[in-house]
Amino acid sequence: MTKDELIDKIKKLLALSDSSNPHEAAAALARAQKLMEKYNIESKEINADNGIDEIKLKTLSSISTQLIMSKLLNIIRKAFGVEPILHTNNSRVTNISLIGPADILESCEYIFTVLSRQAAFAIGEYTKMMDGEIYLETARNASFMCELQTKTPSFYNTVYGSQLTNLSCIMNEISMNNDAVFRNRTYKILGEKFKNLRNLGYLHVSVGFERGLKRIFTSIAKEKKQGFIQGYFNSISEKICEYAQPFEIQENIDKYISDNHPDLSEVRRHSVYNTFAAYQAYQKGVSEGNKVSLNSAIKDYAPKMDAIGMK
């Protein structure tokens, strides 16, 4: 059997995998995959006639959460009409696949690289400031301060009591100073101070209180980071006009995914924000995302897609 005959046979088996009989469909798909593996036939050879292909790219470890990757890939899907797939290991996204017309995948790879590097930097910088924000936000939360003072006075005195006057002055300085460099530097310095004082404070409370306090601060940090990420990517996405693939191409993409990735599962969705602190973080994410411009990148690297536009 020649290679062309083998490819033709695999195509017929994949066609049978769409059968309404589930047993027949599963058997046909298994036989097709076994032949492809045995004779080292790649997916692009099977799909050469409809122009659909797939590229697999590594993610940056610092932004390999499902939330970040799903948000980032939704932008690429919106701009290019390709379909992304997340490959995970222990809930982290190790690789991603982009599936679509072969002639635009190189452009998609470039945009993925650009967005990944910019996102890694923006999220990394915000994470460095986050503890400083939490310090100020919790210090001006009267009910939280009252509860700490009542239940864990030693922790309150170590972390907040002697610092409240100074923190109040810093809040005023930040609110009156629009210099981003000054604000960011101040938050970073405060964050380091907050971490050190918290560690000292934990030495003076019971194990139970220590765990409870750590849960509170971890929860606030998680919500704020998620809020920033949502705001960052949403603001970028809003700049892009959605590109819809012609029906026939979309049908070919769907069939490619059905044939080559039959066991896909859905990614869990994340809420935007649940607290005022997370809402503020969301707005900061929007502000950082507004600085990202993909206009020239899309024009330079996707010349064949005339329908792509920027708002």
Side-chain angles (χ1 to χ4, degrees):
M1 185 183 298
T2 66
K3 189 170 184 178
D4 286 342
E5 289 172 334
L6 184 60
I7 289 174
D8 188 54
K9 183 175 181 178
I10 293 170
K11 286 181 180 180
K12 288 176 180 177
L13 286 170
L14 290 174
L16 283 174
S17 70
D18 289 331
S19 169
S20 57
N21 183 320
H23 298 295
E24 182 183 68
L29 180 60
R31 284 183 63 197
Q33 291 173 333
K34 190 173 181 179
L35 285 172
M36 290 174 70
E37 184 177 345
K38 182 178 180 180
Y39 294 101
N40 199 26
I41 304 293
E42 295 184 10
S43 301
K44 62 184 179 183
E45 296 177 86
I46 304 299
N47 294 276
D49 57 339
N50 62 25
I52 303 303
D53 202 356
E54 174 180 356
I55 55 171
K56 196 170 184 179
L57 306 171
K58 281 185 66 68
T59 60
L60 297 178
S61 59
S62 60
I63 55 169
S64 60
T65 67
Q66 291 189 18
L67 170 63
I68 295 174
M69 278 296 112
S70 60
K71 281 288 183 182
L72 191 157
L73 292 172
N74 278 339
I75 293 171
I76 296 176
R77 173 197 278 145
K78 184 177 181 181
F80 292 92
V82 297
E83 289 297 329
I85 294 175
L86 279 62
H87 305 280
T88 61
N89 182 19
N90 295 327
S91 80
R92 305 295 290 190
V93 182
T94 54
N95 299 278
I96 63 99
S97 290
L98 296 173
I99 299 168
D103 58 353
I104 65 167
L105 291 181
E106 185 179 347
S107 304
C108 295
E109 179 179 0
Y110 172 78
I111 297 299
F112 175 78
T113 302
V114 170
L115 281 177
S116 294
R117 289 173 180 170
Q118 292 178 328
F121 178 78
I123 295 167
E125 285 298 294
Y126 179 70
T127 303
K128 293 174 186 175
M129 299 186 295
M130 199 163 57
D131 268 316
E133 290 185 353
I134 294 172
Y135 197 12
L136 293 182
E137 288 164 4
T138 52
R140 64 178 175 229
N141 185 329
S143 61
F144 182 64
M145 289 295 96
C146 183
E147 191 170 1
L148 275 186
Q149 197 169 11
T150 303
K151 294 181 177 180
T152 56
S154 56
F155 183 87
Y156 169 84
N157 290 330
T158 301
V159 181
Y160 293 98
S162 60
Q163 303 291 326
L164 286 179
T165 302
N166 184 42
L167 291 176
S168 179
C169 293
I170 292 173
M171 288 180 207
N172 290 333
E173 287 179 15
I174 289 175
S175 64
M176 292 186 295
N177 195 323
N178 293 322
D179 181 8
V181 175
F182 166 78
R183 294 163 73 99
N184 294 349
R185 184 174 65 248
T186 302
Y187 281 128
K188 288 176 184 177
I189 294 170
L190 268 181
E192 285 301 313
K193 184 175 184 178
F194 187 35
K195 286 179 186 176
N196 293 333
L197 289 175
R198 279 204 320 260
N199 288 333
L200 284 175
Y202 292 144
L203 298 175
H204 303 293
V205 298
S206 67
V207 173
F209 270 117
E210 180 183 350
R211 287 174 181 166
L213 288 166
K214 284 182 176 179
R215 277 197 299 269
I216 290 171
F217 295 126
T218 299
S219 176
I220 295 172
K222 183 178 178 181
E223 284 194 348
K224 284 177 70 65
K225 189 171 182 178
Q226 286 189 355
F228 179 87
I229 290 166
Q230 295 275 10
Y232 179 83
F233 286 112
N234 285 357
S235 67
I236 298 173
S237 181
E238 287 173 3
K239 302 175 189 177
I240 300 170
C241 294
E242 188 160 2
Y243 176 79
Q245 291 284 5
F247 176 77
E248 183 180 345
I249 293 179
Q250 186 59 53
E251 202 172 44
N252 288 337
I253 292 174
D254 293 341
K255 187 175 188 316
Y256 180 100
I257 294 173
S258 176
D259 291 343
N260 295 279
H261 301 278
D263 301 321
L264 285 180
S265 60
E266 296 226 354
V267 175
R268 179 169 59 89
R269 295 186 180 275
H270 300 259
S271 58
V272 178
Y273 46 77
N274 299 312
T275 65
F276 183 65
Y279 172 74
Q280 288 181 311
Y282 178 89
Q283 294 301 325
K284 290 194 174 182
V286 170
S287 177
E288 287 302 309
N290 283 335
K291 299 174 185 177
V292 176
S293 175
L294 293 179
N295 191 22
S296 59
I298 287 179
K299 283 183 178 178
D300 292 343
Y301 285 84
K304 298 179 182 180
M305 300 187 66
D306 297 330
I308 290 180
M310 299 293 289
K311 293 180 182 178

